[in-house]
Amino acid sequence: VEPLELKGKSKPVPAYKLVSIPSAPSQEPATFPLIGRDCELALLTRELERAVDDRECRLVTLLGDPGVGKSRLVGEFSAAVGAEADVFGGRCLAYGRGITFWPLAEALRQAAGIVDDDAPPAARAKLSAIVADDAVAERIASAFGLSEQQFLVDEVFWAVRRVLETLARRRPLVVVFDDIHWAEQTFLELIEHLVDTVRDAPLLLLCPARPILLEQRPSWAQRPKEVRLVLTPLSQADVALVLENLLGSPDIPEDARRRIVEAAEGNPLFAEQLLSMMVDEGLLRHDDGRWVAAGDLSRLSVPPTIQALLAARLDQLEHEERLVLEAAAVVGQRFAQDAVQELVPDLAAKDVAAHLAALRRKQLVRPQGSDVHGARTFRFHHILVRDAAYQGILKRSRATLHERFVAWADRVNRLRDRESEFEEILGYHLEQAHG
């Protein structure tokens, strides 16, 4: 319909007529076939089979540049083996000092069914239920901040081995420790300890990482029962297939296809974000059932790196959308809608929801589900999107957002009696606010 003249807007705002409301709206983005990774997927499957056949722990370290598709491969593998193995996982955080065992804690929370609303006694009870050994449970609880008792690192390693062996003997087990290039040395030593000591239990440790891991540990994953799997860029033909899947049609203007494929250099995230930028800018539009190029795409200025491309996309966002995305970036890769609403109090709750929906359509965030109270949670489409949004925040604004998040999280954690469990992370946010 005709654009609207709105107060506070210097230009007319596009307006649309509501035609229909889907009866069951999708909560997740469409799932497209995995392109160009058949060999890598087969290798992961073989490693799990070897762990099952030999009843041992095996390690696969998945190395690749940001955006090359590590997370997508892990997701595809996890879905493929879900009928025959349990799959749990956790992510190493970039601010890993003081939260050595965070990724393991995330994985075991999933295994034990611990939810955000569980107070420490309830969380410890669930943990004890899967361990069936008080000594093991005490040491695990200590490492996760669920207990004030302190134990030597060797005792924690012993307890971790025991709990993973217990789980794997019930059903083959895959544990994903993501972003181990950010792991503390103690956590890397734990991974190697598990490979060496787990007995009579089928366990596969799958550890995605950026190549910088090898700068810290050049000999990593070169021992028996360990595999390095390097994820190389996709071929141009595979990138073209990725574009067809994203647009839902093979009918892509040849100049647009060529421009994106050449610029992406085999990086599917780059291809996806460049395609989204073309659509956002109106350079590629859907017209009468087919995609058409608007103008000469050969003159399109393509950012030289994925980081520059993401920064360019964020610059195109509406002001309120940018505020919501930046607030989410301060929270982290995964964030609750309630937390974002706390950080941007000038925006009404319904506006935050609407802006998150817009950011989802633009392939910047995606739904993650809901907590036990029904509050919606999201995650960034990729960690690089989160990094680009965070790096674009002015230092003073960033400090304010970190302080607001700590105030919100401290209040929520206190209501759940879980202050000690997250104090290192909140300490990091305060450090960023006042550093």
Side-chain angles (χ1 to χ4, degrees):
V1 297
E2 290 296 318
L4 301 177
E5 300 285 346
L6 300 179
K7 182 178 179 180
K9 299 291 184 180
S10 59
K11 297 179 181 180
V13 177
Y16 303 88
K17 179 181 178 181
L18 178 64
V19 176
S20 66
I21 300 176
S23 57
S26 171
Q27 295 301 310
E28 294 294 337
T31 300
F32 305 117
L34 183 66
I35 302 296
R37 301 301 186 197
D38 291 344
C39 293
E40 292 86 349
L41 190 59
L43 185 146
L44 294 179
T45 303
R46 287 197 303 271
E47 286 301 303
L48 177 58
E49 291 172 349
R50 293 185 67 178
V52 171
D53 293 342
D54 298 336
R55 297 189 64 80
E56 65 183 10
C57 178
R58 300 192 65 83
L59 167 66
V60 177
T61 301
L62 182 60
L63 294 169
D65 292 326
V68 78
K70 298 187 296 296
S71 297
R72 178 62 203 279
L73 177 60
V74 170
E76 193 77 12
F77 171 70
S78 300
V81 303
E84 59 192 78
D86 287 327
V87 183
F88 305 117
R91 179 184 298 275
C92 299
L93 303 178
Y95 41 94
R97 288 179 299 179
I99 45 176
T100 302
F101 299 106
W102 180 263
L104 179 68
E106 286 193 313
L108 290 186
R109 285 191 190 102
Q110 296 168 26
I114 297 172
V115 297
D116 291 342
D117 202 43
D118 285 335
R124 286 195 296 269
K126 290 182 177 181
L127 189 60
S128 297
I130 67 169
V131 175
D133 184 318
D134 290 342
V136 172
E138 287 175 3
R139 284 153 181 79
I140 296 293
S142 171
F144 296 178
L146 292 172
S147 169
E148 295 183 358
Q149 288 185 275
Q150 298 294 318
F151 297 95
L152 296 174
V153 170
D154 287 347
E155 294 184 62
V156 175
F157 279 21
W158 167 81
V160 172
R161 175 180 64 81
R162 286 288 303 276
V163 69
L164 292 181
E165 283 179 340
T166 299
L167 292 171
R169 285 168 184 164
R170 295 171 184 170
R171 195 163 185 253
L173 179 62
V174 177
V175 180
V176 181
F177 293 135
D178 208 353
D179 291 334
I180 63 166
H181 52 275
W182 284 328
E184 288 193 40
Q185 291 301 312
T186 300
F187 192 76
L188 296 178
E189 291 167 5
L190 170 62
I191 293 173
E192 291 183 325
H193 173 78
L194 292 171
V195 175
D196 292 338
T197 60
V198 166
R199 295 288 183 271
D200 191 32
L203 170 63
L204 176 65
L205 302 178
L206 178 53
C207 300
R210 298 178 187 177
I212 59 172
L213 171 67
L214 301 184
E215 297 176 9
Q216 310 163 27
R217 302 285 291 263
S219 61
W220 178 261
Q222 290 188 321
R223 307 180 309 159
K225 300 190 290 185
E226 299 178 349
V227 174
R228 279 187 193 177
L229 177 55
V230 179
L231 213 56
T232 56
L234 296 177
S235 68
Q236 290 193 348
D238 286 338
V239 173
L241 284 175
V242 170
L243 299 179
E244 292 179 10
N245 284 329
L246 289 171
L247 291 179
S249 169
D251 186 23
I252 305 174
E254 184 55 36
D255 50 349
R257 184 197 306 267
R258 182 176 59 254
R259 195 81 172 96
I260 296 173
V261 168
E262 291 177 353
E265 295 185 341
N267 188 302
L269 179 64
F270 197 111
E272 176 184 306
Q273 293 296 323
L274 183 55
L275 176 65
S276 296
M277 186 176 77
M278 286 183 173
V279 173
D280 289 347
E281 293 184 350
L283 298 174
L284 196 61
R285 68 175 188 271
H286 204 242
D287 187 13
D288 195 24
R290 60 192 300 270
W291 288 95
V292 297
D296 183 6
L297 295 182
S298 64
R299 298 181 180 180
L300 174 67
S301 177
V302 178
T305 64
I306 182 63
Q307 288 83 0
L309 172 58
L310 290 171
R313 286 210 67 208
L314 299 189
D315 286 342
Q316 296 172 351
L317 295 176
E318 297 288 339
H319 177 64
E320 291 83 1
E321 292 175 355
R322 184 70 182 259
L323 288 178
V324 169
L325 196 70
E326 289 176 348
V330 167
V331 178
Q333 171 71 355
R334 181 177 178 271
F335 58 92
Q337 181 175 318
D338 288 350
V340 175
Q341 288 171 186
E342 183 81 10
L343 269 58
V344 285
D346 294 337
L347 292 177
K350 63 179 181 180
D351 292 332
V352 170
H355 292 316
L356 285 172
L359 294 169
R360 176 190 175 187
R361 290 193 298 272
K362 294 178 180 181
Q363 298 290 306
L364 296 173
V365 303
R366 64 175 184 264
Q368 182 74 7
S370 302
D371 63 18
V372 292
H373 300 289
R376 299 194 70 191
T377 58
F378 293 80
R379 68 181 298 113
F380 280 88
H381 188 69
H382 194 279
I383 187 66
L384 292 182
V385 178
R386 183 265 169 189
D387 291 347
Y390 185 82
Q391 291 162 7
I393 308 174
L394 295 176
K395 188 174 182 179
R396 181 176 297 178
S397 299
R398 188 184 299 174
T400 300
L401 291 172
H402 278 292
E403 287 182 342
R404 286 180 180 171
F405 175 71
V406 170
W408 175 83
D410 192 50
R411 184 173 69 250
V412 171
N413 292 335
R414 189 163 54 251
L415 290 173
R416 298 170 178 172
D417 193 24
R418 299 182 71 178
E419 303 100 300
S420 61
E421 191 175 345
F422 298 97
E423 57 188 12
E424 289 90 353
I425 289 181
L426 297 189
Y428 160 80
H429 282 279
L430 290 174
E431 181 182 25
Q432 297 308 300
H434 299 279

